[in-house]
């Protein structure tokens, strides 16, 4: 049986993608996603990370590939 996401109060389909967060810091992206989907289990992963193919309607994956600061020994 395929899980069906509940409809929003206005009868619209719930949001499933967030192209507007591309290029934003992770913290901002999380806030925007959680505003649209408060029950989201947000998982941040490096680009190319193997993932399971199971469908979890509450999971939102954010894939990142940017180095945020200078790597250093120590």
């Amino acid at each position: 049986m395929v899980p069906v996401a509940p409809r929003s109060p206005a009868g619209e389909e719930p949001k499933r993608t967030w192209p507007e967060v591309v290029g934003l810091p992770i913290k901002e992206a999380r806030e925007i996603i959680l505003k649209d989907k408060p029950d989201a289990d947000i998982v941040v992963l490096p680009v190319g990370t193997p993932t399971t193919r199971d469908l979890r309607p509450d999971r939102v994956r954010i894939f990142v590939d940017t180095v945020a600061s200078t790597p250093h020994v120590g």
Side-chain angles (χ1 to χ4, degrees):
M1 185 160 137
V2 176
V4 177
R7 291 185 177 268
S8 64
E12 301 170 0
E13 288 291 325
K15 194 162 184 177
R16 298 179 52 83
T17 63
W18 290 266
E20 68 273 21
V21 306
V22 173
L24 294 180
I26 295 168
K27 183 178 179 182
E28 287 182 45
R30 289 176 65 94
E31 290 170 0
I32 291 168
I33 293 166
L34 288 170
K35 187 187 318 180
D36 291 331
K37 187 171 181 55
D39 67 332
D41 174 20
I42 298 174
V43 180
V44 180
L45 301 164
V47 170
T49 300
T51 59
T52 60
R53 296 184 51 91
D54 62 315
L55 174 63
R56 286 192 26 219
D58 62 327
R59 180 177 55 211
V60 177
R61 292 180 176 136
I62 299 176
F63 292 95
V64 296
D65 71 349
T66 303
V67 176
S69 63
T70 304
H72 64 279
V73 174

